[in-house]
Amino acid sequence: MSGKTSKRAKAAKIREILDTEGAAIETNTQGFNDDRYESVANLENYEALKDEARAIKEDAIERLPELIEELTAAVEANGGTVYLAEDAADANEYIESIAKDADADSVAKSKSMTTEELDVNEHLESAGVDVVETDLGEWVLQVAEEAPSHLVAPAIHKSRAEIADLFEDHFDPDVPLETAEDLTNFAREQLADQIADADVGMTGANFLTADSGTMALVTSEGNARKTVASADTHVAVAGVEKIIPSVEDLQPFVELIGRSGTGQDITSYISLLTPPIDAPTFNGDRLGDPDDREFHLVLVDNGRMAMREDDDLRETLYCIRCSACANSCANFQQVGGHAFGGETYTGGIATGWEAGIGGEESAEEFNDLCTGCSRCTEACPVKIDIPWINTVVRDRLNRGEDPDTFDHLVTGLTPDEEPAGLDLQKRFFGNFATVATLGSAFAPLSNWAAAAPPSRWIAEKLLGVDRRREMPKFTRGTLRKWAKGREPPADPEREVVLLADTYTNYMHVERGKAAIRTLEALDVEVHVADVTESGRAALSQGMIETAREHAETVADALEPHLEAGRDVVMVEPSDLAMLRNDYRRLLPEEAFDRLSTNSYEVLEYVFGRLENGADLDALADGDGEEIAYHSHCQQRTLGLAAHTEAILDEVGYDMVTSEVECCGMAGSFGFKQQYYDVSMAVGDDLREQFTTPETEDRRVVASGTSCHDQLTDLLDRPATHPVELIAPEEE
Amino acid sequence: MSQTTNESPVEQFTTSLAEIEVDWTTTGLDDIESTLTALIESPAVGVELPIDGVTLPERVETNPDPTAIRTATTGVTPATLAIADYGSVVLESDPNGSELMSLFSGTHVVVIEESDIVGSMAEAFEALGPHLREERGDAIVATGASATSDMGALVRGVHGPKHVHIVIIES
Ligand code: SF4
């Protein structure tokens, strides 16, 4: 398969990372994520600040060429120089020339992802200049000769004990180093002299303001300050996207960046430097003249100007590298950046950065770890649609594939809009609606066939469906058929069209029936749409054109219903998220707006009916039954978990809720052989929460189909959809 | 971060300082010297405060050499602004070496006038914007001690000071 890692090899690599780095990564990222929730909750105008931050970045990237000129003029007026480097080689050569001009033997460096991107250290070392990383995490990695596993906390995959062992092996210290304090003191002492001796101080820049030539550095250790203050020559290396118009524009970012990343309200130091800085130099045994300080700004393009022209990748340039998208990602929390990351960048947004800098192939190995669960989108301080960037790059990778020898097997069986060489696994899961239609028609024969050992083996070999997973069971007879010819309520208050998704129509038909009974009990006449597939399955595999076809079919099929004044109701949150959000990218604006504003999740709709005076007593009584409820990831991003919880509570259930970002199944992700282990590791947190003494006997309730499948595999109790808990019995 | 709105800026500021575990002392103009004397541990370095009639205690070396800066136990420098919501102080660079003396010492004693405390980050940037554009200076928004979690737990005192003590001069 064109030199790519096989599914089995990938599974093995992920397994190893889970075993060696998983525990430290999980503790640290989940700690950051919990602290983020707490810290942003204390920020009154959080949403407004995000909007402001986003607007500033949109404007800055739009006006970038002009801002580069303005910044250059400002820096030069301040007494510095500016070099615009086209690519890594160009930047490195220039940086080397500065080191040579300064007669430098050594460079002290504060943490900078952009210099990692350029491999500046390697370049300088090969030119005979020593480089020392001064951020403790980066220094640990320099000693260990490892790559960062996280944007902000690069050594997050290493435990305290591992760092102690590393120092023990490498430095053989006189006294044993045990506590974090011991390790910190030891590192500080090792670094103090090296920083003092360095001839050049190198930093990145979190932001650059065009109006004054000021750079903002966000740190906590004080190493950036020391790096700049100690050497007479300061070099700052920054991507061109770091430029914003004015000093005042820094404010929202200063308030958001620490909270979003590590959950600190603010980091210890926000350095606003307008270099060369005004401090005296260290000149041997006396202080020297501040005017002796030199400053060189290296602005790096390296693919960024082209990203700016790319309608789908452009948003990546708004990224402030806070790490929220990684910390809030259920998969990242298990595997970290060594699996979920490329050459330089890590987490969900790494796909955008790596693809923009090194081409789509640079994101190929890890891109599928983004399941599109969307939990990162509300965490991102600049509101980047990170899942979309992953989907687009996946689509481009699909299209770039060589034709595949198995292709004749699927031609005709799964007609779609995708290129001939598309990976069979993607094609299978992306066209699940077609598979489901056939499966349902042949049930129970198809279930028996899917469960029989040879078939599971074939499914794993050919499609990469993990044999430990049980495929969802088809039912003979669909929801649509069941609903046909039902007697509508005599004098309905409202009419809705139920868009029964693939699962609800063909497999979990019971929840569809419950949805219809519930709506009817609240005086709603229900029509079942003639269409099932929203396009979610295809979109999740990066099959954008196929997803668009589905979106258009859905829009056409629902049009007469909308014309008749009916609301659209859906059971499956991931399909609702298509209509509410993703169709923005797939349909003309007007069609999108219409579907988006008129579609509802079933319990959201019930909530609305009750608010408008419908009779709660028409619903089943919870009677104090103890339940454990897990809301769906996309449901939470849509802000809809609360509706379900309120109703379950209202009708009298005694409820506890889960506290995880995602169940780990995420559509078809957990079925895939290469990701089974990650999926189960993610699910483990949910399993733990639902098997405590307080929860182990509770009935499990979940809103998403894939959460159902996952919960069924994790626990030995079945899961029920909330609508089945409130649906009245059939009369 | 302090959220109570009916507190005065100085009350909000000290509430925030308590949250981030930074000590502070409020003092009148007349008592500043004795307040500082009590807080300073030798060897100490510092920068004269831009306040009429105030001089630093004699123990504070105001014209130190690089070694004195690197080995000082206490560094005394003024802050030009404080941000109540965050417990932050704004430290500017100058040819006297404020940046060096606030950074290299084990304990940083920061002196701020009560009238220079603003409520929010937005207010701080309203002042910082024109200032940085005109003066082209450097300003560190410093909040608490230098810190790291890179070694497996939170440790204070990394490359910068381990302790910060804020002295607020009442207006
Ligand atoms: S994409 Fe958003 S959340 Fe992720 S690192 Fe960038 S700014 Fe932070």
Side-chain angles (χ1 to χ4, degrees):
Chain A
M1 292 210 149
S2 64
K4 276 183 298 164
T5 323
S6 76
K7 294 185 172 68
R8 200 135 35 106
K10 185 175 254 181
K13 182 191 163 193
I14 289 177
R15 177 81 259 159
E16 197 199 319
I17 289 176
L18 280 168
D19 289 344
T20 52
E21 304 183 348
I25 285 164
E26 180 170 15
T27 314
N28 289 320
T29 50
Q30 290 185 351
F32 290 158
N33 198 37
D34 292 345
D35 291 350
R36 170 179 64 84
Y37 279 116
E38 205 183 310
S39 178
V40 301
N42 289 334
L43 192 57
E44 245 170 280
N45 48 352
Y46 174 53
E47 290 301 327
L49 282 173
K50 288 200 288 184
D51 287 335
E52 211 185 314
R54 166 87 189 188
I56 292 168
K57 278 289 184 182
E58 277 182 12
D59 169 57
I61 296 303
E62 170 80 30
R63 295 199 286 127
L64 191 53
E66 171 195 330
L67 292 180
I68 292 175
E69 272 182 39
E70 192 185 338
L71 174 70
T72 304
V75 171
E76 287 172 359
N78 298 340
T81 71
V82 179
Y83 184 79
L84 187 57
E86 217 171 288
D87 54 21
D90 188 12
N92 285 333
E93 242 167 75
Y94 180 73
I95 294 165
E96 184 191 336
S97 76
I98 295 172
K100 289 269 137 80
D101 288 349
D103 234 350
D105 302 321
S106 66
V107 172
K109 225 177 122 226
S110 78
K111 184 178 151 15
S112 143
M113 289 310 300
T114 308
T115 58
E116 301 268 357
E117 172 190 323
L118 305 174
D119 285 332
V120 171
N121 293 15
E122 289 75 358
H123 184 88
L124 285 176
E125 307 247 336
S126 70
V129 181
D130 287 340
V131 181
V132 60
E133 293 286 352
T134 61
D135 171 88
L136 296 200
E138 284 287 346
W139 186 64
V140 165
L141 296 185
Q142 197 179 23
V143 173
E145 297 181 29
E146 286 178 27
S149 60
H150 188 267
L151 289 172
V152 173
I156 201 175
H157 58 285
K158 285 200 160 336
S159 67
R160 183 185 47 74
E162 284 168 306
I163 298 172
D165 288 346
L166 174 75
F167 286 3
E168 202 67 45
D169 285 354
H170 205 270
F171 299 103
D172 194 17
D174 302 335
V175 278
L177 305 171
E178 276 158 23
T179 64
E181 185 135 27
D182 293 343
L183 295 166
T184 301
N185 291 341
F186 178 79
R188 183 209 9 250
E189 275 160 35
Q190 292 281 320
L191 285 168
D193 291 342
Q194 296 189 61
I195 298 175
D197 292 342
D199 307 295
V200 172
M202 192 186 300
T203 66
N206 293 86
F207 305 94
L208 294 157
T209 66
D211 59 344
S212 62
T214 302
M215 56 187 281
L217 286 167
V218 179
T219 68
S220 273
E221 296 181 357
N223 60 313
R225 290 175 70 189
K226 239 178 192 165
T227 301
V228 173
S230 297
D232 297 358
T233 304
H234 173 194
V235 183
V237 183
V240 285
E241 84 284 3
K242 299 289 176 65
I243 308 174
I244 56 176
S246 73
V247 177
E248 284 86 344
D249 290 331
L250 286 167
Q251 179 244 328
F253 298 104
V254 168
E255 299 209 62
L256 289 169
I257 194 167
R259 295 177 196 270
S260 302
T262 51
Q264 294 165 276
D265 292 353
I266 191 166
T267 60
S268 300
Y269 305 119
I270 308 285
S271 297
L272 307 174
L273 308 178
T274 315
I277 65 164
D278 278 338
T281 61
F282 288 106
N283 191 1
D285 51 10
R286 58 182 187 84
L287 292 181
D289 189 344
D291 287 343
D292 292 343
R293 289 184 177 274
E294 270 183 39
F295 173 62
H296 306 278
L297 175 63
V298 184
L299 288 175
V300 179
D301 176 347
N302 209 25
R304 287 164 174 80
M305 289 314 238
M307 289 166 81
R308 193 175 156 264
E309 305 290 328
D310 183 322
D311 284 342
D312 292 308
L313 288 187
R314 182 183 308 123
E315 260 196 315
T316 307
L317 297 172
Y318 307 159
C319 171
I320 60 171
R321 299 177 183 176
C322 71
S323 80
C325 54
N327 302 331
S328 60
C329 172
N331 283 347
F332 191 94
Q333 289 176 0
Q334 299 302 324
V335 298
H338 287 161
F340 198 163
E343 275 290 304
T344 311
Y345 297 99
T346 48
I349 197 60
T351 290
W353 281 119
E354 296 287 345
I357 288 159
E360 273 80 31
E361 307 71 44
S362 319
E364 182 157 22
E365 274 297 300
F366 64 90
N367 165 264
D368 283 343
L369 279 162
C370 170
T371 64
C373 84
S374 78
R375 296 302 301 143
C376 54
T377 55
E378 63 179 32
C380 176
V382 281
K383 306 179 96 167
I384 298 176
D385 191 346
I386 299 151
W388 176 253
I389 292 173
N390 279 279
T391 304
V392 167
V393 171
R394 197 168 300 150
D395 183 74
R396 291 182 187 174
L397 285 164
N398 290 344
R399 283 169 198 284
E401 304 252 345
D402 300 327
D404 181 69
T405 45
F406 288 112
D407 227 51
H408 61 279
L409 285 176
V410 282
T411 317
L413 183 68
T414 56
D416 56 35
E417 297 298 309
E418 304 306 317
L422 176 66
D423 182 73
L424 275 185
Q425 185 183 59
K426 289 202 161 89
R427 181 160 263 152
F428 173 70
F429 284 117
N431 287 301
F432 201 65
T434 316
V435 179
T437 321
L438 295 171
S440 178
F442 295 111
L445 191 69
S446 49
N447 286 326
W448 175 82
S455 161
R456 281 206 183 184
W457 184 83
I458 290 168
E460 183 169 289
K461 276 283 169 228
L462 200 59
L463 304 171
V465 177
D466 197 283
R467 71 181 85 178
R468 287 162 289 189
R469 290 286 189 196
E470 209 168 306
M471 291 299 284
K473 289 225 174 14
F474 302 113
T475 34
R476 183 100 200 206
T478 63
L479 180 69
R480 205 173 290 131
K481 217 183 237 170
W482 176 84
K484 215 171 243 164
R486 271 178 79 80
E487 203 47 48
D491 186 15
E493 288 275 328
R494 312 258 335 159
E495 283 187 42
V496 301
V497 53
L498 180 73
L499 176 49
D501 58 277
T502 308
Y503 294 92
T504 304
N505 193 46
Y506 296 111
M507 292 163 218
H508 299 295
V509 175
E510 280 315 311
R511 64 183 207 178
K513 294 179 183 172
I516 294 175
R517 290 205 305 276
T518 302
L519 291 165
E520 287 176 349
L522 299 173
D523 279 332
V524 178
E525 179 175 347
V526 184
H527 305 257
V528 179
D530 277 335
V531 62
T532 34
E533 182 51 52
S534 69
R536 165 62 66 200
L539 196 72
S540 74
Q541 306 307 310
M543 296 157 63
I544 295 177
E545 285 319 308
T546 306
R548 196 186 308 280
E549 286 269 299
H550 286 299
E552 284 162 0
T553 309
V554 166
D556 288 347
L558 295 184
E559 180 56 29
H561 293 285
L562 292 169
E563 268 313 305
R566 292 171 194 147
D567 303 311
V568 181
V569 171
M570 302 174 74
V571 177
E572 177 60 35
S574 60
D575 291 293
L576 176 68
M578 286 294 284
L579 274 72
R580 282 258 178 106
N581 284 334
D582 300 272
Y583 278 11
R584 183 195 317 273
R585 316 271 189 177
L586 304 174
L587 292 176
E589 196 177 326
E590 204 184 323
F592 163 69
D593 282 345
R594 193 140 181 222
L595 285 173
S596 176
T597 46
N598 290 300
S599 53
Y600 303 87
E601 195 258 349
V602 60
L603 273 89
E604 177 193 19
Y605 200 78
V606 168
F607 186 90
R609 287 295 304 133
L610 295 174
E611 287 285 284
N612 283 298
D615 185 10
L616 182 72
D617 292 337
L619 303 179
D621 189 341
D623 212 11
E625 185 185 348
E626 298 193 330
I627 59 171
Y629 174 58
H630 170 68
S631 61
H632 181 274
C633 46
Q634 275 148 342
Q635 179 192 8
R636 264 176 300 136
T637 303
L638 292 170
L640 297 178
H643 301 76
T644 299
E645 289 165 13
I647 290 169
L648 292 173
D649 186 67
E650 193 75 10
V651 301
Y653 285 98
D654 177 313
M655 174 178 48
V656 294
T657 55
S658 63
E659 272 175 37
V660 292
E661 295 294 1
C662 176
C663 69
M665 185 61 100
S668 55
F669 178 80
F671 280 99
K672 295 179 179 175
Q673 181 190 7
Q674 65 274 42
Y675 302 121
Y676 175 81
D677 288 328
V678 190
S679 167
M680 291 307 272
V682 170
D684 219 35
D685 290 345
L686 184 53
R687 188 185 53 73
E688 270 170 29
Q689 290 177 16
F690 280 3
T691 51
T692 64
E694 152 75 358
T695 55
E696 65 186 353
D697 296 323
R698 287 174 176 262
R699 179 168 174 190
V700 177
V701 182
S703 294
T705 305
S706 47
C707 319
H708 269 234
D709 296 338
Q710 176 78 323
L711 280 160
T712 310
D713 279 3
L714 291 166
L715 307 166
D716 27 6
R717 292 172 280 169
T720 315
H721 190 280
V723 80
E724 294 177 65
L725 268 66
I726 62 165
E729 292 297 324
E730 188 80 275
E731 279 167 20
Chain B
M1 173 167 144
S2 162
Q3 284 290 309
T4 328
T5 43
N6 50 6
E7 287 181 329
S8 69
V10 68
E11 281 166 339
Q12 281 179 48
F13 182 51
T14 52
T15 305
S16 298
L17 290 177
E19 277 169 23
I20 57 171
E21 298 174 20
V22 169
D23 295 328
W24 75 90
T25 309
T26 44
T27 183
L29 252 189
D30 298 338
D31 301 325
I32 173 91
E33 201 175 328
S34 60
T35 303
L36 289 176
T37 305
L39 291 172
I40 285 163
E41 233 181 280
S42 294
V45 296
V47 174
E48 286 297 353
L49 305 172
I51 305 167
D52 281 345
V54 176
T55 46
L56 291 181
E58 216 168 298
R59 280 204 284 151
V60 180
E61 174 59 70
T62 53
N63 202 1
D65 62 18
T67 311
I69 289 175
R70 290 188 199 281
T71 53
T73 303
T74 311
V76 188
T77 71
T80 50
L81 211 59
I83 305 161
D85 274 350
Y86 286 86
S88 310
V89 289
V90 176
L91 313 171
E92 295 195 37
S93 305
D94 55 43
N96 299 328
S98 285
E99 166 67 356
L100 309 178
M101 291 187 241
S102 63
L103 178 61
F104 281 82
S105 40
T107 298
H108 181 205
V109 176
V110 190
V111 185
I112 177 87
E113 290 188 81
E114 190 184 326
S115 55
D116 290 329
I117 302 173
V118 298
S120 65
M121 192 58 77
E123 286 170 75
F125 271 91
E126 271 166 37
L128 283 168
H131 182 65
L132 288 175
R133 257 189 310 276
E134 278 153 33
E135 307 290 328
R136 304 291 167 105
D138 316 301
I140 311 288
V141 180
T143 313
S146 90
T148 189
S149 294
D150 285 350
M151 297 295 164
L154 177 72
V155 177
R156 293 210 170 103
V158 194
H159 297 286
K162 189 182 179 74
H163 304 286
V164 172
H165 194 110
I166 313 267
V167 176
I168 304 165
I169 305 177
E170 291 159 328
S171 307

